Amino acid sequence: YSTILRRCIKLYVDIKEKNIGTRRILRNISFKTERGEMLLILAPSGCGKTTLLKCILGETHYSGCVARNANEKLIYVAQESTLNKRETVYNSLFYTGLLDHPGSSNDEIREEVINLSQRLGLANVLNNEIADLSGGQARRTQLGEGLMRRCNVLMLDEPDSGLDVSTAHFLLTDVRKIISKEHKSCIVVSHNVLPETLHLYDRVLILAPD
């Protein structure tokens, strides 16, 4: 797989088979993500979406390969909120960067937080507590924590879940802009796709029952 990864590919996934007991969950799933690309994995309930995530994250055994270059950092942003509701947006982003990059100075992390908050539309709520945010703002903050970890490959689990159409559209549009500008790649895993956001993806991979 080293020859494949020498190109512009951020992540290469080739799962031959994944079984749980005698039940086959996944079979012959192969895809790659490239720089600046946004991939949607669309999977109805019961088609192995959660299992696929675990395979990519290395949390379960399978037959096949998931590969990325050593310097390619993959960050997973869960559907469920992992935010501390008593923290402010600024502290949430700042301390994520500080803990993940101990070699960076406080001033460097602070500047990164300011720049990221502007790109994510959070500049006006930096001093607000997480508990006081709207659903869309909270989702952006959680996404911001992932980006503060300076990932190359971003994996989002149901990022538009529970959001209205307009909020979801603006959120995913901003993700698209960041991915393109910073030459990252992004995998969005969802059980449903809004027609208004479909144009944001470069490719769509559909998981179907075996």
Side-chain angles (χ1 to χ4, degrees):
Y1 299 103
S2 60
T3 301
I4 297 174
L5 292 174
R6 274 199 294 268
R7 303 168 190 168
C8 295
I9 296 173
K10 292 287 189 180
L11 179 71
Y12 179 75
V13 176
D14 183 22
I15 298 174
K16 304 298 184 185
E17 191 171 75
K18 165 62 184 177
N19 298 323
I20 297 180
T22 59
R23 183 188 174 199
R24 184 166 61 192
I25 306 298
L26 301 172
R27 180 170 64 92
N28 295 335
I29 296 177
S30 181
F31 64 89
K32 62 185 183 298
T33 62
E34 300 183 4
R35 288 187 299 178
E37 183 180 45
M38 197 162 165
L39 169 69
L40 172 64
I41 298 179
L42 193 58
S45 299
C47 289
K49 180 187 69 175
T50 300
T51 302
L52 176 59
L53 292 177
K54 289 182 177 180
C55 290
I56 296 174
L57 294 169
E59 296 179 356
T60 187
H61 295 291
Y62 56 89
S63 172
C65 174
V66 174
R68 64 182 186 274
N69 287 319
N71 62 339
E72 302 289 357
K73 187 175 183 180
L74 186 153
I75 295 299
Y76 169 70
V77 179
Q79 176 184 356
E80 299 80 14
S81 177
T82 57
L83 300 172
N84 182 347
K85 292 186 177 182
R86 296 183 179 179
E87 287 278 16
T88 63
V89 174
Y90 177 86
N91 285 344
S92 180
L93 300 179
F94 179 82
Y95 287 116
T96 296
L98 199 64
L99 291 172
D100 213 60
H101 312 292
S104 297
S105 68
N106 285 7
D107 286 342
E108 288 174 327
I109 298 298
R110 187 176 297 110
E111 183 178 356
E112 194 169 346
V113 169
I114 298 301
N115 290 336
L116 181 60
S117 68
Q118 292 172 346
R119 299 201 302 277
L120 285 175
L122 294 171
N124 293 332
V125 294
L126 273 179
N127 295 319
N128 292 24
E129 290 189 353
I130 303 297
D132 296 329
L133 301 180
S134 67
Q137 290 168 339
R139 195 66 55 85
R140 286 171 179 270
T141 303
Q142 190 163 341
L143 173 61
E145 285 191 343
L147 291 169
M148 282 299 298
R149 298 178 66 186
R150 300 175 188 170
C151 63
N152 305 102
V153 182
L154 187 64
M155 190 157 65
L156 308 180
D157 187 5
E158 305 274 5
D160 54 359
S161 176
L163 304 181
D164 60 66
V165 173
S166 178
T167 302
H169 180 268
F170 284 121
L171 171 65
L172 291 171
T173 297
D174 286 343
V175 172
R176 168 84 261 185
K177 290 177 181 177
I178 291 171
I179 295 303
S180 299
K181 183 176 181 179
E182 300 184 7
H183 305 294
K184 302 178 186 295
S185 66
C186 179
I187 300 172
V188 174
V189 182
S190 182
H191 74 281
N192 187 34
V193 60
L194 297 171
E196 293 82 2
T197 62
L198 191 58
H199 69 283
L200 298 172
Y201 300 99
D202 296 284
R203 289 181 295 130
V204 179
L205 174 66
I206 299 177
L207 302 186
D210 193 354

